[in-house]
Amino acid sequence: MAFKDFRKDFRAQAHKFVDWMADYLENIEAYPVKAPVKPGEIAAKLPSAAPETGEAMEDIFRDFQDIILPGMTHWQHPGFMAYFPANASPPSVLAEMLTATLAAQCMSWQTSPAATELETRMLDWLRQITGLPDGFHGSIQDTASSAMLSAFLCARERLHNFTTNHTGLSVTGQHTCYASAEVHSSTDKGIRIAGLGSGNLRKISVDETFAMIPEELEHAIESDLNAGCLPTCVVATLGSTSVSAIDPLRPIGEICHKYGIWLHVDAAWAGSALVLPEYRWMIDGIEFVDSFVFNPHKWLLTQFDCSAFYVRDRETLVRTFEILPEYLKTREGDQVINYRDWGVPLGRRFRALKLWFVLRAYGVEGLQAHIRRHIDFCQQLAQKMKQEKDFEIVAPHPLALLCFRYNPGGLTDEALDRLNAQLLEDINDSGQLYLTQTRVQGRYVLRFVSGSPYTEQRHIDDSWRLIQEKARFLSKM
Ligand code: PLP
C-alpha cells in the first residue's frame, strides 16, 4: 500500500479537533477530576499489536473519546488541588499547536534560529518579571529534575576544574551535598545520576517553619571537611513539596560563599510567585546563588514541559556539557548560542513559543492576578479551617498550599492516620475534588493546593463543604 499524505484531510480534521478542545475546556467540570478507573482497565481495551493497515481518523478519534478520555485525570479541572499544579492556558495551547505543526528540532541556533533567539529573550523576560538578577543566563529544560542534575554536574566539574568529565570520579574522593530534610526527591535522584552517591547527601535539620537551619548546614560542612570529604553542592528550596517551606537564602548563601560550594535553588513551584513583588523576600541573598530553577509549567499558565533554569556563569554550564562531533558543527560556531550545550539532551522542542504567547497574552499584570488569586484562595480556606475545632492546620502556609488533617478528638495517632487516609480516598472518589497526602512530623496529612486556571471562589467554597461533609460523616461511622 502506498504511503498516505494526510495533509489533504488535515484542515477539516483539525477544525473538528479544535471544536472538541474548546468544548472540553468549557465543560471541564463535567468530568471527574481524578480518573475513576482501575489498573489495567484502559490497557484491556487496547489491541495488543499495531494495525497492519491504516485506520480512519474518525475511528481513532472515537477511540480517543471512548477509551482514553475516561482514563485521564483532568489537571486543568477547577477541583484539581493535588500535588502541585501543572497548569496550562488557551494561549499556551495555541502556541503548542503551532510548535507541533512546525515540528522543529531546535538543538542548535542553525536548526531554527528563531527558536534559539526567542528562548534567550523569553528567559530574560522571565528573569526580569521574577526579580532575578541581571547577568543570570536562562534556558528551558524539560523538568526541574533535569535542571537539578545539570546543577550537580556543573558543581562537580567546577570543583575539579572540568577534569572529571574525562577522568570519571574514581580518583576524586567523596563528594558531599547538602539540602534540607524537606528537599524534593529529585535531589537524591540527581545526586545518584551525577555519580556523587545519594548516601553523600546530608539532610540538614529544619526549624519550626520546616526551613533549613543554616547553623546546622555549616556544622555538617565543617565535619565533612574534617573527615576529608569534598563539599560540592548545596540545594536550597523555595516552596518545599510537602509543606511549602522557604529555606533562608542569605545565610545559606553566605556559608556557600565562605566554603566555595555551588548553591542551587529549587523553586520548582514557588518560583512563579516571584512575579509578585511582595514575595521577592524569598530571594533575599540571590547574589550568592549559582543556579536557580522554577517551572512555569507548574504555576505560570505555560503547559508542561517548561522549566526555566538559570545559571550565573554560563561558561561553567557550557564547559560541563559541550561536546562537538563533526556532524554537529555549524558555520556560526560559538558566535551564537547552541542550547544543545546547555543540558543533557541534544534534541530540543521549541518550547519558548508558548512562553511568548503566555507572557504577551496575559502580561505581567495578568500573571500576577493569577498567582494572587490562588494565594488568596488558600489563605481564605485556612481562615475557615481555623474556625473549626475538629480540623488542624499542621504547617505555615505562606503561598497556596495548605496542609491539614481532620482530628475529631479522642483518637490515637495511628487511628488519626487511618481516618485521614480514608478521608482522602472518599474526597477523591467524589470526582469533584482531588487532593494528595504527605507526612508532617510523622503525621499523615492532606495537602490542598490551589492552582488550576479555572478555579473560582465557588470551587473553594464547594471544596471546603465537601471536605467537612466527608470528614464528619466518617467520624460518625
Ligand atoms: N522540586 C520541587 C520542590 C517539586 O515540588 C518538584 C515536583 O513537584 C520537583 C522539584 C520536580 O519537578 P519536575 O517534575 O519538574 O522534575
Side-chain angles (χ1 to χ4, degrees):
M1 197 181 158
F3 170 75
K4 182 168 174 196
D5 183 343
F6 277 96
R7 278 178 298 180
K8 187 164 60 63
D9 306 324
F10 181 69
R11 186 182 310 274
Q13 284 163 351
H15 282 154
K16 197 170 144 194
F17 281 24
V18 167
D19 277 340
W20 182 89
M21 288 154 68
D23 287 343
Y24 171 78
L25 291 179
E26 263 172 35
N27 302 315
I28 193 162
E29 280 181 65
Y31 296 90
V33 52
K34 178 173 161 289
V37 294
K38 304 243 167 354
E41 204 175 314
I42 306 301
K45 295 182 183 156
L46 300 170
S48 53
E52 206 53 49
T53 51
E55 299 182 52
M57 190 55 67
E58 289 70 35
D59 295 341
I60 302 172
F61 188 52
R62 193 197 54 236
D63 285 348
F64 162 74
Q65 291 176 292
D66 294 350
I67 301 176
I68 303 302
L69 208 54
M72 292 305 295
T73 288
H74 299 281
W75 282 67
Q76 308 311 312
H77 191 293
F80 187 99
M81 315 280 184
Y83 301 100
F84 279 140
N87 64 33
S89 61
S92 164
V93 175
L94 292 172
E96 282 287 74
M97 287 160 65
L98 300 181
T99 292
T101 306
L102 293 169
Q105 202 276 58
C106 309
M107 59 187 172
S108 312
W109 179 87
Q110 196 180 86
T111 64
S112 272
T116 297
E117 295 186 13
L118 187 67
E119 181 162 336
T120 309
R121 186 54 55 91
M122 286 309 100
L123 272 284
D124 200 53
W125 282 13
L126 262 190
R127 180 192 66 72
Q128 293 173 43
I129 69 172
T130 50
L132 292 173
D134 224 1
F136 262 31
H137 304 280
S139 61
I140 301 178
Q141 300 229 356
D142 54 1
T143 59
S145 303
S146 298
M148 179 90 73
L149 171 61
S150 301
F152 288 136
L153 295 171
C154 288
R156 187 190 84 183
E157 289 311 298
R158 187 178 75 174
L159 186 68
H160 297 293
N161 202 16
F162 303 92
T163 55
T164 37
N165 266 341
H166 180 65
T167 61
L169 287 174
S170 54
V171 292
T172 54
Q174 186 182 356
H175 296 83
T176 47
C177 297
Y178 309 82
S180 98
E182 291 287 320
V183 78
H184 188 265
S185 56
S186 54
T187 304
D188 303 65
K189 197 178 194 179
I191 286 174
R192 281 189 202 171
I193 300 170
L196 305 177
S198 53
N200 296 318
L201 172 60
R202 312 293 190 232
K203 300 246 171 118
I204 307 299
S205 319
V206 294
D207 63 17
E208 66 291 346
T209 69
F210 303 93
M212 190 195 295
I213 302 173
E215 295 74 24
E216 296 283 330
L217 170 67
E218 183 155 18
H219 183 71
I221 292 170
E222 282 285 349
S223 93
D224 281 333
L225 282 171
N226 289 337
C229 300
L230 301 167
T232 305
C233 188
V234 172
V235 176
T237 305
L238 304 182
S240 66
T241 314
S242 265
V243 295
S244 70
I246 316 281
D247 287 341
L249 275 198
R250 179 164 296 285
I252 293 173
E254 283 166 355
I255 293 166
C256 291
H257 184 68
K258 176 171 165 191
Y259 293 93
I261 304 172
W262 187 282
L263 175 55
H264 175 69
V265 174
D266 177 8
W269 168 67
S272 294
L274 293 171
V275 297
L276 302 179
E278 63 268 31
Y279 277 88
R280 302 268 167 83
W281 56 267
M282 295 195 292
I283 50 168
D284 175 44
I286 190 75
E287 65 272 25
F288 297 112
V289 170
D290 292 292
S291 55
F292 185 100
V293 70
F294 83 100
N295 290 350
H297 72 228
K298 276 187 161 46
W299 198 11
L300 215 54
L301 299 166
T302 310
Q303 68 210 95
F304 193 82
D305 54 346
C306 185
S307 200
F309 179 49
Y310 290 91
V311 289
R312 179 175 299 283
D313 176 15
R314 135 183 180 183
E315 182 79 14
T316 298
L317 182 69
V318 173
R319 281 187 77 184
T320 299
F321 287 107
E322 190 178 36
I323 192 154
L324 194 56
E326 187 57 36
Y327 47 78
L328 290 180
K329 288 181 184 156
T330 54
R331 187 171 63 183
E332 299 75 23
D334 54 15
Q335 293 160 21
V336 292
I337 289 179
N338 290 304
Y339 281 121
R340 60 159 196 257
D341 296 328
W342 290 50
V344 176
L346 168 63
R348 304 181 92 247
R349 296 181 65 235
F350 185 11
R351 291 172 293 209
L353 195 69
K354 60 191 168 190
L355 259 181
W356 194 42
F357 274 47
V358 167
L359 294 177
R360 293 184 63 185
Y362 287 94
V364 178
E365 287 176 1
L367 298 175
Q368 290 175 332
H370 161 69
I371 300 285
R372 270 202 190 102
R373 213 158 59 95
H374 289 295
I375 294 177
D376 184 49
F377 286 151
C378 170
Q379 303 308 319
Q380 272 184 38
L381 180 64
Q383 277 312 320
K384 288 183 180 145
M385 217 173 258
K386 276 180 197 154
Q387 286 157 23
E388 300 299 323
K389 289 201 178 54
D390 48 353
F391 281 88
E392 285 174 11
I393 293 174
V394 300
H397 41 87
L399 293 159
L401 162 62
L402 189 66
C403 289
F404 66 94
R405 71 174 178 174
Y406 179 55
N407 184 355
L411 295 175
T412 62
D413 271 341
E414 291 74 40
L416 276 177
D417 285 358
R418 279 197 301 277
L419 181 72
N420 279 279
Q422 188 58 52
L423 174 60
L424 181 73
E425 294 305 320
D426 291 354
I427 289 170
N428 290 347
D429 286 345
S430 73
Q432 295 164 46
L433 178 62
Y434 182 19
L435 306 181
T436 46
Q437 78 292 339
T438 188
R439 277 195 188 269
V440 176
Q441 293 165 325
R443 293 170 295 178
Y444 182 103
V445 302
L446 278 58
R447 294 169 73 261
F448 175 100
V449 190
S450 176
S452 158
Y454 309 119
T455 303
E456 297 169 18
Q457 182 66 51
R458 67 187 166 92
H459 300 108
I460 301 298
D461 298 341
D462 290 348
S463 300
W464 177 219
R465 211 171 296 122
L466 183 81
I467 293 168
Q468 291 178 93
E469 232 173 70
K470 297 277 179 200
R472 290 175 185 145
F473 180 78
L474 259 185
S475 71
K476 283 196 206 110
M477 286 174 70

